[in-house]
Amino acid sequence: VEKELSVAGIKKRADVLVYSRHGKPVMIAECKSPDLKPNQSVFDQAARYNLPLNVSWMLLTNGLEHYCCRINSAEKKYELAKEIPEYDLLVQSSKFKV
């Protein structure tokens, strides 16, 4: 499930990428072990991995706690979601319309 990326010329691996039915990435997920709480460092890591992808959704999880946000690259801000959106909403609300 890992996807190799190039971030500033350095090879990295995103844990999970969710794609539209047309093969466009719509969400990146960073997964940590249950003993590591998702924090700002994990958020920053996922945000860096998103630079070459520029997807609209990001998920951070340790299997116990989950944080999902919608990214607005144009305004350089994000909004935490109350829950992880269903697949169809991810695709519909993404920059890449299906």
Side-chain angles (χ1 to χ4, degrees):
V1 176
E2 289 185 341
K3 170 70 174 159
E4 187 173 290
L5 308 166
S6 178
V7 179
I10 300 169
K11 288 184 180 182
K12 300 289 183 180
R13 289 191 181 273
D15 291 327
V16 177
L17 280 178
V18 178
Y19 292 89
S20 74
R21 290 175 183 90
H22 297 287
K24 300 288 186 184
V26 294
M27 174 187 261
I28 186 170
E30 185 61 30
C31 306
K32 297 299 182 186
S33 70
D35 59 329
L36 182 62
K37 181 179 173 99
N39 57 24
Q40 186 65 47
S41 176
V42 175
F43 182 89
D44 293 344
Q45 177 185 6
R48 279 191 305 276
Y49 289 1
N50 188 37
L51 289 173
L53 300 169
N54 199 28
V55 298
S56 297
W57 289 93
M58 189 164 61
L59 173 68
L60 311 174
T61 184
N62 66 0
L64 304 171
E65 296 178 62
H66 319 289
Y67 298 92
C68 185
C69 64
R70 183 158 185 206
I71 301 167
N72 182 332
S73 299
E75 295 182 23
K76 296 185 179 178
K77 49 186 182 176
Y78 66 93
E79 179 181 328
L80 285 175
K82 293 181 182 182
E83 58 187 23
I84 300 169
E86 292 185 23
Y87 177 78
D88 286 338
L89 179 61
L90 285 176
V91 173
Q92 290 171 3
S93 63
S94 171
K95 289 185 248 336
F96 304 108
K97 301 293 182 194
V98 184

